[in-house]
Amino acid sequence: MALQDSTLAELKDLTFALIGREYADTSNSYARLNALWNYSAKKAYKASNYWERYLVVGDKRTISNKNQVPRTQSGSDTIDTYLKIYKNDPQQLRGGEYKFVVNNSGATITGHNGLLQSDLYENPEAEGFYIQPDSSEDDASVYVTYKKTLDVDIGLQQSESTTIPDEFMPYMAHYAAYTWQRSVEQNSSENNFQLSLALINSVLEDELAKISDQNIANSYIVKSMRNNYNQTII
């Protein structure tokens, strides 16, 4: 999908239209809507690891502490979700996928073999082992495919020209309006509500379908869905 941006002004206009009234930027009600926008952006972001805007493929990262791939590195985006770690740039050369586990510090490359202090790890490209570096003077690098961190954080005094991911904006407006209506009109009949949860979810599902249509999640560089008859890098 084309990566386009909406604006905060468009988000406000659609939300107010769905609610049926407007609120001043300085009001308590607007502050509550602002919180709902940020919350719904996080929900949309978490709905998929494969949003094109946040997917980074084959980013070169330096290994630290012998087998750690940190979440942060100067000049690169911060990693939210590790998807794949490769020995080679997956966009240039196929093969060489590392096994790893994730903790608060980042990704830890697994496959340790031999004595605990031997520093021998499985070579992901062939049978055999490799030795991790022991000092920063002998750095080793890997290539990481990951989902970078969310950059949507709408403040109360932000300009109306503030950009919002276009693929998130309709869902953010609908979810905020849906939640708002039920919070301020808790005693009303369900029939009085123009927005249903099914409608809200369908707005997001329309955007998720675009990811599926482009086969992003099933491409080689993101997932290991390959066999002996399909060796083409997608």
Side-chain angles (χ1 to χ4, degrees):
M1 74 187 77
L3 295 181
Q4 300 179 349
D5 290 320
S6 296
T7 64
L8 178 56
E10 293 173 312
L11 175 61
K12 290 167 63 175
D13 288 345
L14 180 54
T15 304
F16 292 156
L18 291 167
I19 292 175
R21 63 174 299 177
E22 296 185 11
Y23 294 100
D25 292 1
T26 55
S27 67
N28 291 333
S29 294
Y30 181 82
R32 293 170 63 190
L33 283 173
N34 190 91
L36 289 173
W37 287 330
N38 285 322
Y39 176 70
S40 57
K42 292 177 182 178
K43 283 180 64 68
Y45 170 80
K46 292 179 179 179
S48 175
N49 285 330
Y50 310 112
W51 291 111
E52 188 177 352
R53 182 184 301 269
Y54 296 103
L55 183 62
V56 180
V57 176
D59 187 25
K60 189 175 183 180
R61 295 281 180 142
T62 300
I63 295 175
S64 65
N65 298 324
K66 300 183 181 180
N67 65 339
Q68 297 286 320
V69 183
R71 292 183 182 276
T72 59
Q73 178 173 297
S74 177
S76 293
D77 294 300
T78 300
I79 298 174
D80 177 86
T81 305
Y82 293 83
L83 299 174
K84 293 291 177 183
I85 300 178
Y86 293 100
K87 183 174 182 179
N88 307 300
D89 185 346
Q91 300 182 86
Q92 301 295 326
L93 183 63
R94 188 163 188 143
E97 181 181 329
Y98 290 108
K99 300 175 183 178
F100 64 93
V101 295
V102 178
N103 53 32
N104 291 336
S105 300
T108 300
I109 296 176
T110 59
H112 193 281
N113 284 271
L115 300 176
L116 290 178
Q117 304 303 319
S118 68
D119 293 341
L120 290 178
Y121 288 79
E122 292 179 2
N123 188 325
E125 293 185 320
E127 293 184 2
F129 307 108
Y130 68 94
I131 299 178
Q132 285 285 20
D134 290 321
S135 71
S136 59
E137 296 178 357
D138 187 26
D139 287 339
S141 298
V142 293
Y143 294 84
V144 185
T145 295
Y146 61 88
K147 179 185 179 184
K148 63 183 181 180
T149 54
L150 178 66
D151 55 0
V152 178
D153 186 13
I154 304 171
L156 292 177
Q157 303 301 322
Q158 281 189 268
S159 167
E160 290 196 338
S161 62
T162 299
T163 57
I164 308 292
D166 188 64
E167 61 271 29
F168 288 1
M169 193 278 287
Y171 176 75
M172 292 169 65
H174 280 78
Y175 188 88
Y178 167 83
T179 307
W180 178 262
Q181 286 184 338
R182 278 150 180 75
S183 65
V184 300
E185 302 177 32
Q186 298 180 29
N187 297 322
S188 297
S189 168
E190 184 70 21
N191 294 330
N192 294 336
F193 296 127
Q194 297 301 312
L195 297 171
S196 68
L197 188 57
L199 172 62
I200 308 308
N201 289 336
S202 71
V203 173
L204 182 59
E205 288 167 0
D206 287 344
E207 295 298 331
L208 293 172
K210 296 175 184 178
I211 296 176
S212 178
D213 290 343
Q214 293 182 101
N215 206 35
I216 294 174
N218 290 331
S219 65
Y220 160 72
I221 53 181
V222 176
K223 282 187 175 180
S224 295
M225 299 185 67
R226 60 186 188 274
N227 54 48
N228 293 333
Y229 301 97
N230 179 13
Q231 296 297 320
T232 302
I233 295 179
I234 300 174

